[in-house]
Structure formats: C-alpha cells, structure tokens
Amino acid sequence: MNGVCDISSVILAGMVKTCALGRPRHLVKPVSATRVAGRYLTHQRGLPGLPVPPLQQTCERYITALEPIVEADELTHTRRVIQEFQEAGGVGEQLQRGLEKRAGETENWLSQWWVQVAYLDYRMPVVVHSSPGLMLPRMDFRDKDGQIRFASKLIAGVLDFKTMIDNETLPVEYLGGKPLCMNQYYEVLSSCRIPGLKRDSVVNHAKSSQPPRHITVVHNFQFFQLDVYNRDGTPLTADQLCLQLEKICRASQETNAEPVGILTTQHRDVWGKSYLNLIKDKTNKESVSVIQRSIFTLCLDGATPEAAGELYRSCAAVQMLHGGGSQSYSGNRWFDKTLQFIVGEDGTCGANYEHAPAEGPPIVALIDHVVEYTRKAETAESPAGSLPVPRRLLFNITPEIKQDIEEAKLSMNTLAQDLDMRVKVFGHFGKNVPKAHKMSPDAFIQIALQLAYYR
C-alpha cells in the first residue's frame, strides 16, 4: 500500500485516504463553511430531516453512475432490470415506502446504517485501514520540558473547545447560505469504539449522568488517568497541567512495560476475542473503562531518529498514522479512542482519530482551534495549589494476554512494513483550480489517485 499526499487536506491515512501537511497558520478545512454564533439545540430543531430521494431519481442516478464504468451490454441489461424494479406495485415501490416510513420515525434515516456498514461492521484493523492520522507543523521544542509544556497548552486548548460544546456556544457552520447539522461535534469527545465479536459499537459518555472529568495519558506504554477539572468545575490551567504531566513522566520512566494498547491494532474479530479475555480481570476491566470514558487520550512519544525535509515529514506521517510498529510507538496508543493527540519529544505532533463517530470537519475544526490556542502568549498564572497524583492504570497480564500482545506485535509490524509513506508537498496549485473548472477538489484528488495507480 502506498500513502499518497494531497496538500488540500490534513488527513493522513493509507489506501484512498489523503495525507498532507497543515499550513503554518490555519489547517485546511475539507469544506468552505462559514461560522455564525448560535445556540446548538435551537439550531438543530430548525434543520430539515434528511429527505428520501424519489424512486425514479435514485434509479436515474444509479444508471448515470454506472455509465462510465460498465460495458454497453451490461448497461443495457441493468437498464432493463431497473425498469422492472420501478414498476408499479413492484419491489422498488415497496422498498421506497419502507424508507419513507423510517424517515418519518427517525432523525436521520441513513446515519445509523452508514456508521454500521461503513465502520462498525468493517472488520479490518482500524489502524491504517480507516483511522486517519493528522500531522501538524513541527513545533519548536526538542526536549522533555518543551514537550510537557506544549502538551499542557494542547490539553487546555481542547478543554477550551469543549467549553463551547458544553455551553452550546460553538458557532454554527453554514454552507451555501444553509445551516449545517452540528451533531458530530458533540460525538468527538468522551467517546470510544468498543470491540465486538462480529460488530463493534460506539459509546459516548459525554451524555451520561456523570460526564467524564479526566483524560488518559500514555507514556512509555503506561496509561494514567489525569483529572483535568478542579473541584469547582473550572479546567486546570496550563501550569497545573504541566505539573501533572511531569508527575506522570517521572512515574513512567521504565520502558519495559507490556504494551497493552497494541491490542487495539488487531483485526477487529481477533481484538473482539482478546478484549473479552482482557476484561475478565476486574482490575483490567476498570482500567479499560477509564480509558474508554476519558475525554480524549494524550500520547507522549519519545524522539524519532533525526531526519529533515521530506524524509522527516514522511516519518512523522507514519508516526501519526500507526506509530511505527511495536519497536516504536504503536503500543503507546489506544486506537479505539475517538481522539488521540500525539506529542513527540522532538517537536513532532499531530493526532489520530477513530472514524466511526464523526467525519473530518469536526476533528479539523477542533484541531485548528487547539493549534491557535497553543500559539497564544502565555499569561502569568497564580501558583497552583496541591493537586491529586495522577492515577496509574494497572493491568494484570496473564500468559494468555501476553500471547495476544505478542501476536498483535507481529500483526502490527507486518502492517507497518506493508505501508509505504512518502509525503510530497504539491505547490503547483490548490483547491481553487479544480473549483474554477467546476470540479469538486475531493473528486479531483480521488481521480488523481486512480490515474497515478493506472499509470
């Protein structure tokens, strides 16, 4: 598999996902949406439901989509089948009535099916196959102190964005003068994918009676629960977070811990079985629950081998996408977590996100906000009072779990070796050129990928 790079997006992934570099100031958004202040619930109630297209329109569009890719005799046969499908009292009308009935009973007749078929029923590993990595510009620190300071501001930036979500003050996005649904912004934080034997599920704890007040921090393959709110409900300051991250790093200096997180890189059926085995143990179940309930995960990586220019960007892309294998940082992750921020000791930083709860725009908007927040000048803060010691999450590793970890290492290493990643910065033109020719920039890139493969 090859990683192909597109400067019009910040999403990095294998296969057909695009990959790119964030611009120095604003990360590129997948759509040109404008934002207007507004209350979320009031806004949502005013949105129309997703319409069910008329049967004839659906059939016509199906034929139009097939015309460039099937032979003439196949197209003739398909037209005949479609004509029978549309006949009065036929199968098409029955299915159409079923869809219209569902549309009248649900907020969105398609979304649940889409998430199940596109993501939760998909059994290949989420790493590389469906979870995008996002690479940010390299930051100007090269040591542990700088890493911790930046990570503290990053956490504070996410909490600042979360405040807008919690207070329903997140600006409403508009496209073509029409308001967009903002539901996915409320699915990104405090959510996690749960492995199943045949189908996964997604749980969002933000909507629970006691929403999470902690994040998960993973350093040297060791997981910690870090409470990020004071008793009065105010978020910890960057200085307070800095002190807490220092405690975590001091408590996890050994590098021989079992990388339990690498289990999340497995084929979903395999991970589903390993998961049930892992959480048989009460301690393990509690630790996994803390990770799943957390607002997000912060992964503190070490430094990577020194590289420059295109080679550095390609290595950083791999680090964000899958962690580099068992000898690097693939075990320093929990890939089921919806949002993982990754901060390396050498200034490399970015994120990885599990795709089921949300598409790209909410993730990019959040990260755009966080990057801007970290660039703000630091203000003098009052000395922090005593804070609780972050809680280490313990795992009891049985021989069976140890075997599952070793098998996950082998599978992850095979996957990592099978992916070639080369980041190319395309400077000739951007999204305005295809748009000037009335082409979708996304479709333009998809066709470019196919043309490159064909050649």
Side-chain angles (χ1 to χ4, degrees):
M1 292 183 289
N2 296 301
V4 185
C5 184
D6 157 32
I7 200 67
S8 72
S9 169
V10 294
I11 296 177
L12 290 161
M15 300 295 284
V16 298
K17 302 291 182 185
T18 55
C19 70
L21 303 175
R23 291 184 296 175
R25 184 158 179 79
H26 289 286
L27 300 181
V28 182
K29 295 185 179 59
V31 293
S32 300
T34 56
R35 295 178 182 178
V36 179
R39 300 295 287 180
Y40 165 72
L41 289 176
T42 304
H43 158 75
Q44 288 294 117
R45 281 194 292 267
L47 291 176
L50 181 69
V52 178
L55 178 60
Q56 183 179 350
Q57 178 182 310
T58 299
C59 293
E60 287 173 353
R61 288 187 173 181
Y62 178 60
I63 291 295
T64 301
L66 290 180
E67 283 176 347
I69 58 175
V70 300
E71 300 295 334
D73 56 338
E74 291 179 293
L75 192 62
T76 301
H77 171 72
T78 303
R79 288 184 192 278
R80 193 161 53 245
V81 172
I82 288 294
Q83 197 60 44
E84 293 173 7
F85 180 78
Q86 291 183 84
E87 287 177 357
V91 176
E93 284 195 354
Q94 294 175 33
L95 292 173
Q96 183 75 6
R97 282 195 298 273
L99 272 184
E100 289 168 352
K101 181 175 183 291
R102 178 180 170 88
E105 297 169 349
T106 59
E107 189 177 74
N108 185 315
W109 61 267
L110 179 61
S111 59
Q112 184 185 5
W113 287 344
W114 166 252
V115 171
Q116 286 180 353
V117 173
Y119 299 114
L120 303 180
D121 287 344
Y122 186 65
R123 307 316 289 162
M124 295 301 286
V126 293
V127 61
V128 173
H129 292 278
S130 66
S131 291
L134 294 89
M135 193 170 82
L136 301 180
R138 191 174 191 176
M139 299 300 158
D140 59 356
F141 58 83
R142 299 292 181 270
D143 58 17
K144 179 63 74 176
D145 289 343
Q147 177 189 30
I148 290 174
R149 167 52 57 184
F150 176 80
S152 302
K153 292 190 73 173
L154 183 150
I155 297 170
V158 179
L159 297 180
D160 188 63
F161 192 85
K162 182 177 180 294
T163 297
M164 290 193 289
I165 293 176
D166 294 343
N167 295 343
E168 295 180 29
T169 55
L170 199 63
V172 173
E173 292 198 336
Y174 281 74
L175 186 63
K178 295 181 179 179
L180 298 177
C181 174
M182 300 288 287
N183 265 346
Q184 291 190 355
Y185 282 88
Y186 296 79
E187 303 295 332
V188 170
L189 298 175
S190 308
S191 60
C192 193
R193 183 167 175 153
I194 311 296
L197 295 176
K198 293 298 179 185
R199 171 188 283 174
D200 293 354
S201 57
V202 172
V203 61
N204 187 323
H205 295 283
K207 301 168 184 174
S208 64
S209 57
Q210 293 184 309
R213 297 166 56 87
H214 70 279
I215 67 168
T216 310
V217 180
V218 53
H219 177 246
N220 283 335
F221 314 132
Q222 298 160 70
F223 289 83
F224 292 81
Q225 175 182 343
L226 172 56
D227 292 332
V228 290
Y229 289 94
N230 293 298
R231 289 179 182 175
D232 63 0
T234 57
L236 297 191
T237 65
D239 283 346
Q240 288 176 308
L241 291 165
C242 200
L243 292 173
Q244 297 296 75
L245 291 181
E246 286 172 353
K247 293 175 189 175
I248 287 173
C249 291
R250 282 197 300 269
S252 54
Q253 293 183 27
E254 64 278 8
T255 57
N256 60 350
E258 286 291 349
V260 180
I262 206 163
L263 293 171
T264 64
T265 67
Q266 277 282 48
H267 185 283
R268 301 309 294 179
D269 290 348
V270 175
W271 172 216
K273 293 175 185 174
S274 301
Y275 176 77
L276 292 178
N277 184 46
L278 178 68
I279 63 172
K280 280 180 190 173
D281 179 275
K282 185 179 178 181
T283 299
N284 294 351
K285 186 174 183 178
E286 169 61 21
S287 294
V288 168
S289 177
V290 170
I291 296 170
Q292 292 170 341
R293 285 181 51 81
S294 62
I295 298 167
F296 66 94
T297 294
L298 171 68
C299 310
L300 296 176
D301 289 358
T304 52
E306 193 60 38
E310 184 179 304
L311 179 59
Y312 164 75
R313 289 190 287 266
S314 298
C315 291
V318 164
Q319 188 176 347
M320 300 308 138
L321 186 61
H322 60 63
S326 67
Q327 297 300 310
S328 295
Y329 302 109
S330 295
N332 210 47
R333 307 279 187 273
W334 193 269
F335 282 103
D336 286 359
K337 196 67 191 150
T338 302
L339 187 57
Q340 299 187 97
F341 281 97
I342 300 159
V343 181
E345 200 173 313
D346 57 357
T348 301
C349 61
N352 184 284
Y353 83 93
E354 200 289 301
H355 216 316
E359 299 299 320
I363 304 289
V364 175
L366 188 159
I367 292 177
D368 199 18
H369 179 89
V370 169
V371 170
E372 288 302 305
Y373 189 95
T374 61
R375 291 198 173 111
K376 288 181 181 177
E378 297 187 37
T379 55
E381 296 172 346
S382 56
S386 61
L387 295 167
V389 176
R391 173 186 165 202
R392 181 192 297 272
L393 302 182
L394 301 175
F395 288 94
N396 294 322
I397 307 298
T398 65
E400 194 175 352
I401 294 171
K402 171 68 173 171
Q403 183 178 343
D404 288 341
I405 289 173
E406 293 305 314
E407 289 174 0
K409 287 180 181 179
L410 292 174
S411 297
M412 182 62 244
N413 291 343
T414 299
L415 181 58
Q417 290 159 14
D418 192 40
L419 177 77
D420 292 324
M421 179 65 77
R422 298 292 182 273
V423 174
K424 297 282 186 183
V425 178
F426 184 83
H428 302 283
F429 58 84
K431 64 181 179 181
N432 289 334
V433 169
K435 287 173 77 171
H437 293 278
K438 294 184 168 52
M439 287 187 283
S440 156
D442 182 68
F444 183 88
I445 292 298
Q446 297 296 334
I447 293 297
L449 295 175
Q450 293 181 46
L451 177 60
Y453 182 80
Y454 175 78
R455 282 177 170 172

